Amino acid sequence: MNWTLLLEQTLNGFQFGILLFLLAAGLTLIFGIMDLINLAHGSLYMMGAYFAATFIKWTGSFLLGAILAIPACMAFGMIVEMIALRTLYTRNHLDQVLATFGLILFFNEFVRLIWGPIGLDIPLPEVLNGSVELFLGIRYPAFRLVIIAVGILVAFLLYLLVSRTKLGMLIRAGASNRKMVGALGVNINLLYTFVFGLGAALAGLAGLMAGPIMTVEIGMGEGILIITLVVIVIGGVGSIKGAFVAALLVGLIDTVGRSFLPDILGIFFSNDVADTAAPAISSMLIYLLMALILAFKPQGLFPPRGA
Amino acid sequence: MKWSPRIIFIVILMLGLGVVPLLADYFGEPFYTVMFSRMLILSIGAVSLNLILGFGGMVSFGHAVYLGIGSYMVGIGTMHAVEDGIEWMANGFLQIALAIVFSALAGLVIGAISLRTRGVYFIMITLAFSQMLYYVAVGNEKYGGDDGLSLYMRSDFNGLIDISNDNSLYYLNFVCLLLSLYLSHRLINSRFGMLIRGAKSNEQRMRAIGFPVFRYQLVAFVIAGTICGIAGVLSANQTEFVNPSVMHWTHSGELIIMTVLGGLGTLFGPVIGAVAFLFLEEFLSGITEYWQLFFGPMLVLVVIFARGGIDGMLVGLDQWWSRNSPVKNEEVD
């Protein structure tokens, strides 16, 4: 066993988990409060990456571009919510799945029309491009550390927002009984639009941070959307705490599994079998985890109260 | 049976599907035979999905998995037959039998776990299972992995039917579609079907009456998967190519779209939906390269405004017809 590699992969898994959390937090909030399955959440992630790539090119500054991309993504999400999704809140899940699937098709073509079929890349500034020595000579890419730091900071801010502010109180109230919140004189439509915008901003943030690591391309949101759905289902749909735990769990298992499963299988089977079976099994790991968890806890790890 | 615009439309559609190869040959456009062949195969898939989605209310987001299982039975069998000279593996009857066995098994396992959950969890767990099998296919280098398998020959039905000809494959597909429609007609009108439909509208009550709802739903889930597995066998023969993308979640989504577009929980709805979906795809992509730019919003509009799908509109037309037909009005007066 290579310990340096293990540490590196654990950090990578952590970083992936953080990205998943940023997506899952928005998705689970939207589901918990508006009771809406939003398959187009991955498209918001994609839009975040494309906005960032464009703004960074315009402004010539990574930080400025990134800062501009988040409100742009938020505004974009709010517009989508007002035009297309608002009528879907009272519909059944099947209708929501279908309509948001339609939105995915639309956004993919929209991006292809505007930005062209070829992927973009987001160049990193010098400061973030290098690697940092952690300890004992183990080096780790600086940008990935930034992702982890930003993610933890956002998770903390989100926690403060939801549990310590008046707005957070409304969000929690909306999640447990929206009719009552409306009856108490809260503009529930505005609250919904805001929550959706918040989710979009988080997805955009994930997208712009994933941009420099992976490529910015059409359909980049779909693969990660499915994993995010797995995360929120494992965590318990509607629970931010569940999303956080599940995101880290899934990120770690997926990343570490991919790099160490061939070795682990090699202990039990011949190398031949291990080499052919490992890629398939490691891509299946998180789905197996989900099936296992749902078989025992059909409501996920942290079922939201009142469900 | 009373003739109404809806019935006339469905009769014309089915008769039309029956003569497509003849017309295509007459006009010298064999391309249409292939295109409609695809419609028939996806119709079978949508009809099977409709059994659990439309009549049973189980939103399975992984139905394309069975298409994949059926396809891979053909792909793997044909590969061994061509490369290793094991001729019996290209036998179509065997491939269909294997597709039935493996689809049923997959349906049993997926259903047994998924049906313990409800609502959004059910949607997600069926999706997760389909992704799992998708990755199995991607990771399996022996059978093509990501690139898939090209079929150098179609399945061999002991000389009974020679499907190397597109027209005879078309009629095989057509007969299979008719069989699946007949089967689903018999199923949904049987005691079994009443139970499944009852569980859709009020599961708690069905259980309170004393029916083991879970078992019935599981059987329905397995039957739907099995029919779709057979569609997979046909699909692989049609395209002469098998790759993992047939199981991709977007493909499962497309099957749901077809079913809903045509009309959920109606016998012919899925057929109408599959034909309409592929027509739209063909038509829109002929006009513009960015056809999904129009197809996506169209889907949103169908969901928001046309809740019964195309079949629902036809029912509306029927009502309008019976209101405005002179004979009826006299009776009312």
Side-chain angles (χ1 to χ4, degrees), chain A residues 23 27 38-48 104 203 219-222 224-225:
Chain A
L23 279 163
L27 201 57
N38 178 23
L39 292 186
H41 205 67
S43 300
L44 298 170
Y45 166 86
M46 174 175 74
M47 293 312 296
I104 295 183
M220 66 185 277
E222 287 162 31
I224 203 163
L225 167 78

PDB file of all heavy atoms in Angstrom, chain A residues 23 27 38-48 104 203 219-222 224-225:
ATOM      1  N   LEU A  23     -23.492  21.053  -4.873  1.00  0.00           N
ATOM      2  CA  LEU A  23     -24.624  20.741  -5.739  1.00  0.00           C
ATOM      3  C   LEU A  23     -25.786  20.174  -4.933  1.00  0.00           C
ATOM      4  O   LEU A  23     -26.938  20.546  -5.119  1.00  0.00           O
ATOM      5  CB  LEU A  23     -24.195  19.718  -6.791  1.00  0.00           C
ATOM      6  CG  LEU A  23     -23.460  20.286  -7.995  1.00  0.00           C
ATOM      7  CD1 LEU A  23     -22.750  19.185  -8.735  1.00  0.00           C
ATOM      8  CD2 LEU A  23     -24.446  20.982  -8.904  1.00  0.00           C
ATOM      9  N   LEU A  27     -29.851  21.246  -4.358  1.00  0.00           N
ATOM     10  CA  LEU A  27     -30.861  20.312  -4.849  1.00  0.00           C
ATOM     11  C   LEU A  27     -31.773  19.835  -3.721  1.00  0.00           C
ATOM     12  O   LEU A  27     -32.992  19.759  -3.865  1.00  0.00           O
ATOM     13  CB  LEU A  27     -30.147  19.115  -5.486  1.00  0.00           C
ATOM     14  CG  LEU A  27     -30.930  18.269  -6.465  1.00  0.00           C
ATOM     15  CD1 LEU A  27     -31.457  19.119  -7.589  1.00  0.00           C
ATOM     16  CD2 LEU A  27     -30.037  17.180  -7.029  1.00  0.00           C
ATOM     17  N   ASN A  38     -35.441  18.550  -9.466  1.00  0.00           N
ATOM     18  CA  ASN A  38     -34.926  19.394 -10.535  1.00  0.00           C
ATOM     19  C   ASN A  38     -33.756  18.707 -11.226  1.00  0.00           C
ATOM     20  O   ASN A  38     -32.616  18.831 -10.811  1.00  0.00           O
ATOM     21  CB  ASN A  38     -34.499  20.735  -9.945  1.00  0.00           C
ATOM     22  CG  ASN A  38     -33.919  21.644 -11.000  1.00  0.00           C
ATOM     23  OD1 ASN A  38     -34.200  21.477 -12.177  1.00  0.00           O
ATOM     24  ND2 ASN A  38     -33.106  22.580 -10.574  1.00  0.00           N
ATOM     25  N   LEU A  39     -34.052  17.995 -12.314  1.00  0.00           N
ATOM     26  CA  LEU A  39     -32.960  17.344 -13.052  1.00  0.00           C
ATOM     27  C   LEU A  39     -32.060  18.367 -13.724  1.00  0.00           C
ATOM     28  O   LEU A  39     -30.913  18.081 -14.044  1.00  0.00           O
ATOM     29  CB  LEU A  39     -33.521  16.395 -14.115  1.00  0.00           C
ATOM     30  CG  LEU A  39     -34.235  15.147 -13.638  1.00  0.00           C
ATOM     31  CD1 LEU A  39     -34.593  14.276 -14.810  1.00  0.00           C
ATOM     32  CD2 LEU A  39     -33.366  14.361 -12.674  1.00  0.00           C
ATOM     33  N   ALA A  40     -32.594  19.574 -13.941  1.00  0.00           N
ATOM     34  CA  ALA A  40     -31.804  20.591 -14.628  1.00  0.00           C
ATOM     35  C   ALA A  40     -30.775  21.238 -13.707  1.00  0.00           C
ATOM     36  O   ALA A  40     -30.105  22.188 -14.104  1.00  0.00           O
ATOM     37  CB  ALA A  40     -32.726  21.645 -15.231  1.00  0.00           C
ATOM     38  N   HIS A  41     -30.648  20.735 -12.488  1.00  0.00           N
ATOM     39  CA  HIS A  41     -29.667  21.303 -11.559  1.00  0.00           C
ATOM     40  C   HIS A  41     -28.253  21.171 -12.138  1.00  0.00           C
ATOM     41  O   HIS A  41     -27.412  22.038 -11.948  1.00  0.00           O
ATOM     42  CB  HIS A  41     -29.747  20.595 -10.210  1.00  0.00           C
ATOM     43  CG  HIS A  41     -29.252  21.424  -9.071  1.00  0.00           C
ATOM     44  ND1 HIS A  41     -29.887  22.558  -8.652  1.00  0.00           N
ATOM     45  CD2 HIS A  41     -28.176  21.284  -8.273  1.00  0.00           C
ATOM     46  CE1 HIS A  41     -29.220  23.078  -7.649  1.00  0.00           C
ATOM     47  NE2 HIS A  41     -28.173  22.332  -7.389  1.00  0.00           N
ATOM     48  N   GLY A  42     -28.013  20.069 -12.837  1.00  0.00           N
ATOM     49  CA  GLY A  42     -26.712  19.887 -13.475  1.00  0.00           C
ATOM     50  C   GLY A  42     -26.460  20.936 -14.547  1.00  0.00           C
ATOM     51  O   GLY A  42     -25.321  21.322 -14.806  1.00  0.00           O
ATOM     52  N   SER A  43     -27.533  21.411 -15.175  1.00  0.00           N
ATOM     53  CA  SER A  43     -27.371  22.453 -16.189  1.00  0.00           C
ATOM     54  C   SER A  43     -26.924  23.763 -15.552  1.00  0.00           C
ATOM     55  O   SER A  43     -26.178  24.534 -16.154  1.00  0.00           O
ATOM     56  CB  SER A  43     -28.685  22.672 -16.937  1.00  0.00           C
ATOM     57  OG  SER A  43     -29.070  21.487 -17.569  1.00  0.00           O
ATOM     58  N   LEU A  44     -27.406  24.019 -14.316  1.00  0.00           N
ATOM     59  CA  LEU A  44     -26.987  25.240 -13.627  1.00  0.00           C
ATOM     60  C   LEU A  44     -25.497  25.179 -13.313  1.00  0.00           C
ATOM     61  O   LEU A  44     -24.779  26.182 -13.403  1.00  0.00           O
ATOM     62  CB  LEU A  44     -27.796  25.422 -12.341  1.00  0.00           C
ATOM     63  CG  LEU A  44     -29.301  25.594 -12.557  1.00  0.00           C
ATOM     64  CD1 LEU A  44     -30.044  25.526 -11.244  1.00  0.00           C
ATOM     65  CD2 LEU A  44     -29.578  26.927 -13.239  1.00  0.00           C
ATOM     66  N   TYR A  45     -25.049  23.989 -12.957  1.00  0.00           N
ATOM     67  CA  TYR A  45     -23.616  23.746 -12.722  1.00  0.00           C
ATOM     68  C   TYR A  45     -22.822  24.038 -13.988  1.00  0.00           C
ATOM     69  O   TYR A  45     -21.814  24.741 -13.977  1.00  0.00           O
ATOM     70  CB  TYR A  45     -23.495  22.293 -12.284  1.00  0.00           C
ATOM     71  CG  TYR A  45     -22.147  21.622 -12.268  1.00  0.00           C
ATOM     72  CD1 TYR A  45     -21.312  21.718 -11.168  1.00  0.00           C
ATOM     73  CD2 TYR A  45     -21.749  20.821 -13.331  1.00  0.00           C
ATOM     74  CE1 TYR A  45     -20.103  21.045 -11.129  1.00  0.00           C
ATOM     75  CE2 TYR A  45     -20.549  20.136 -13.303  1.00  0.00           C
ATOM     76  CZ  TYR A  45     -19.727  20.253 -12.208  1.00  0.00           C
ATOM     77  OH  TYR A  45     -18.539  19.575 -12.173  1.00  0.00           O
ATOM     78  N   MET A  46     -23.360  23.541 -15.108  1.00  0.00           N
ATOM     79  CA  MET A  46     -22.701  23.796 -16.397  1.00  0.00           C
ATOM     80  C   MET A  46     -22.690  25.292 -16.705  1.00  0.00           C
ATOM     81  O   MET A  46     -21.672  25.841 -17.135  1.00  0.00           O
ATOM     82  CB  MET A  46     -23.450  23.030 -17.492  1.00  0.00           C
ATOM     83  CG  MET A  46     -22.975  23.311 -18.889  1.00  0.00           C
ATOM     84  SD  MET A  46     -23.798  22.262 -20.096  1.00  0.00           S
ATOM     85  CE  MET A  46     -25.414  23.007 -20.165  1.00  0.00           C
ATOM     86  N   MET A  47     -23.828  25.957 -16.465  1.00  0.00           N
ATOM     87  CA  MET A  47     -23.892  27.391 -16.741  1.00  0.00           C
ATOM     88  C   MET A  47     -22.879  28.145 -15.883  1.00  0.00           C
ATOM     89  O   MET A  47     -22.245  29.082 -16.354  1.00  0.00           O
ATOM     90  CB  MET A  47     -25.306  27.942 -16.451  1.00  0.00           C
ATOM     91  CG  MET A  47     -26.402  27.444 -17.357  1.00  0.00           C
ATOM     92  SD  MET A  47     -26.035  27.496 -19.109  1.00  0.00           S
ATOM     93  CE  MET A  47     -25.869  29.240 -19.364  1.00  0.00           C
ATOM     94  N   GLY A  48     -22.714  27.710 -14.630  1.00  0.00           N
ATOM     95  CA  GLY A  48     -21.733  28.339 -13.750  1.00  0.00           C
ATOM     96  C   GLY A  48     -20.343  28.284 -14.369  1.00  0.00           C
ATOM     97  O   GLY A  48     -19.618  29.287 -14.403  1.00  0.00           O
ATOM     98  N   ILE A 104     -33.005  20.213 -19.618  1.00  0.00           N
ATOM     99  CA  ILE A 104     -31.620  19.782 -19.858  1.00  0.00           C
ATOM    100  C   ILE A 104     -31.327  19.820 -21.348  1.00  0.00           C
ATOM    101  O   ILE A 104     -30.312  20.365 -21.789  1.00  0.00           O
ATOM    102  CB  ILE A 104     -31.383  18.347 -19.346  1.00  0.00           C
ATOM    103  CG1 ILE A 104     -31.519  18.284 -17.838  1.00  0.00           C
ATOM    104  CG2 ILE A 104     -30.007  17.852 -19.755  1.00  0.00           C
ATOM    105  CD1 ILE A 104     -31.219  16.901 -17.288  1.00  0.00           C
ATOM    106  N   ALA A 203     -24.728  25.754  -7.166  1.00  0.00           N
ATOM    107  CA  ALA A 203     -24.380  24.887  -8.290  1.00  0.00           C
ATOM    108  C   ALA A 203     -23.365  25.585  -9.194  1.00  0.00           C
ATOM    109  O   ALA A 203     -22.402  24.975  -9.666  1.00  0.00           O
ATOM    110  CB  ALA A 203     -25.629  24.522  -9.080  1.00  0.00           C
ATOM    111  N   GLY A 219     -22.974  19.076 -21.434  1.00  0.00           N
ATOM    112  CA  GLY A 219     -23.315  17.804 -20.794  1.00  0.00           C
ATOM    113  C   GLY A 219     -22.456  17.502 -19.584  1.00  0.00           C
ATOM    114  O   GLY A 219     -22.562  16.429 -19.005  1.00  0.00           O
ATOM    115  N   MET A 220     -21.587  18.455 -19.179  1.00  0.00           N
ATOM    116  CA  MET A 220     -20.728  18.197 -18.023  1.00  0.00           C
ATOM    117  C   MET A 220     -21.540  18.045 -16.743  1.00  0.00           C
ATOM    118  O   MET A 220     -21.098  17.427 -15.781  1.00  0.00           O
ATOM    119  CB  MET A 220     -19.693  19.318 -17.847  1.00  0.00           C
ATOM    120  CG  MET A 220     -20.288  20.657 -17.479  1.00  0.00           C
ATOM    121  SD  MET A 220     -19.085  21.999 -17.405  1.00  0.00           S
ATOM    122  CE  MET A 220     -18.401  21.806 -15.761  1.00  0.00           C
ATOM    123  N   GLY A 221     -22.760  18.592 -16.756  1.00  0.00           N
ATOM    124  CA  GLY A 221     -23.566  18.542 -15.551  1.00  0.00           C
ATOM    125  C   GLY A 221     -24.325  17.246 -15.366  1.00  0.00           C
ATOM    126  O   GLY A 221     -24.854  16.986 -14.296  1.00  0.00           O
ATOM    127  N   GLU A 222     -24.373  16.417 -16.418  1.00  0.00           N
ATOM    128  CA  GLU A 222     -25.260  15.257 -16.329  1.00  0.00           C
ATOM    129  C   GLU A 222     -24.680  14.124 -15.503  1.00  0.00           C
ATOM    130  O   GLU A 222     -25.362  13.558 -14.661  1.00  0.00           O
ATOM    131  CB  GLU A 222     -25.620  14.763 -17.729  1.00  0.00           C
ATOM    132  CG  GLU A 222     -26.590  15.706 -18.388  1.00  0.00           C
ATOM    133  CD  GLU A 222     -26.646  15.532 -19.880  1.00  0.00           C
ATOM    134  OE1 GLU A 222     -26.441  14.407 -20.353  1.00  0.00           O
ATOM    135  OE2 GLU A 222     -26.881  16.538 -20.563  1.00  0.00           O
ATOM    136  N   ILE A 224     -22.443  14.341 -13.176  1.00  0.00           N
ATOM    137  CA  ILE A 224     -22.358  14.715 -11.763  1.00  0.00           C
ATOM    138  C   ILE A 224     -23.752  14.873 -11.160  1.00  0.00           C
ATOM    139  O   ILE A 224     -23.952  14.659  -9.968  1.00  0.00           O
ATOM    140  CB  ILE A 224     -21.495  15.986 -11.581  1.00  0.00           C
ATOM    141  CG1 ILE A 224     -20.957  16.047 -10.155  1.00  0.00           C
ATOM    142  CG2 ILE A 224     -22.257  17.232 -11.925  1.00  0.00           C
ATOM    143  CD1 ILE A 224     -19.804  16.986  -9.974  1.00  0.00           C
ATOM    144  N   LEU A 225     -24.737  15.190 -12.005  1.00  0.00           N
ATOM    145  CA  LEU A 225     -26.103  15.300 -11.493  1.00  0.00           C
ATOM    146  C   LEU A 225     -26.566  13.968 -10.922  1.00  0.00           C
ATOM    147  O   LEU A 225     -27.148  13.911  -9.830  1.00  0.00           O
ATOM    148  CB  LEU A 225     -27.061  15.721 -12.616  1.00  0.00           C
ATOM    149  CG  LEU A 225     -28.536  15.551 -12.242  1.00  0.00           C
ATOM    150  CD1 LEU A 225     -28.992  16.677 -11.355  1.00  0.00           C
ATOM    151  CD2 LEU A 225     -29.420  15.412 -13.446  1.00  0.00           C
TER     152      LEU A 225
END
